[in-house]
Amino acid sequence: MARDDAVSRRLSGIVVEHYDVRGSDGPALLADLARRGPKGFHGMTHWRYDYRYRYEPAPQGGCRVSAVSTSVTGRILMPRWVDEARAPAPMREAWQRYVAALMRHEEGHMATGQALTRALQSDLGTLAAPTCNQLKAHVDRTAEALIADHHARDRLYDAETRHGTTQGAFLSLP
C-alpha cells in the first residue's frame, strides 16, 4: 500500500482514516496495535447504504416499483506506524506487507456493502403488488431480508478469513 500522510482520503464513497501506532521493535509495535486498534482489531470497516424507490400504478393494474436508486459509503480505519522510518528494513517490509493485506481484507468488507446496493437495485426494481400499500410492505420486507443477508455475509467473511489472517493480514515481525 502506498504511504498516505493525510489523516484521511476520500475514494469513491470510501473514507480511509488512520490511527497512529508506535513502537521501535516488534513487541512494542504489537502491544500498541493491541492497545489502540478499534474494538480489539487492527482495522475496521463500516459501510452505510441508502436506497430510495418510486412506484406507480401498473398498466395491467396494481402498483409497481418504477425506479430504484442506491448508494453506499464507507469508512475504513487503518493503523499508521509513526516510527516506521526509523525501523530496520526487514521490519518495514513486513509492516508494508501486513497493511497491504489488511487493506485488501477491509476492502472485502466494503465490497459486501457495494453488493447490497446492487441487490437492492435489482431485486426491488422488479416488485409489484395488487395495491400500492401492499407494494410498500413488500419492498420493506424484501429490503430487510437483503440487508440482513448482507450483514450475515460480512460476518461470514470474517469467519472464513479469520479476520483477514488467511489473506495475509497478520503481522510477523523479524
Side-chain angles (χ1 to χ4, degrees), residues 43-157:
M44 179 84 46
T45 298
H46 295 283
W47 46 264
R48 171 173 261 148
Y49 60 89
D50 184 44
Y51 72 94
R52 300 180 195 291
Y53 65 96
R54 288 194 310 263
Y55 57 91
E56 64 187 16
Q60 67 278 19
C63 197
R64 68 179 179 92
V65 172
S66 60
V68 178
S69 65
T70 62
S71 65
V72 64
T73 57
R75 176 179 171 259
I76 298 175
L77 183 59
M78 293 286 293
R80 178 177 37 222
W81 184 21
V82 296
D83 300 320
E84 181 178 358
R86 294 189 297 269
M91 200 168 158
R92 288 192 316 266
E93 291 164 6
W95 174 260
Q96 289 301 317
R97 281 191 302 275
Y98 168 68
V99 293
L102 182 59
M103 179 57 88
R104 279 191 304 277
H105 174 74
E106 297 305 328
E107 288 169 343
H109 283 294
M110 223 21 251
T112 303
Q114 293 164 334
L116 169 60
T117 60
R118 289 189 300 275
L120 287 165
Q121 183 84 35
S122 67
D123 291 12
L124 298 183
T126 63
L127 298 180
T131 70
C132 290
N133 282 340
Q134 289 173 322
L135 176 63
K136 290 177 194 177
H138 190 33
V139 166
D140 289 345
R141 283 191 309 274
T142 302
E144 286 171 13
L146 288 169
I147 292 162
D149 176 64
H150 283 75
H151 282 296
R153 287 182 191 191
D154 223 17
R155 289 187 300 276
L156 181 61
Y157 173 66

Side-chain angles (χ1 to χ4, degrees), residues 161-173:
T161 66
R162 293 185 320 193
H163 294 278
T165 301
T166 63
Q167 298 166 299
F170 59 91
L171 189 53
S172 178
L173 295 172

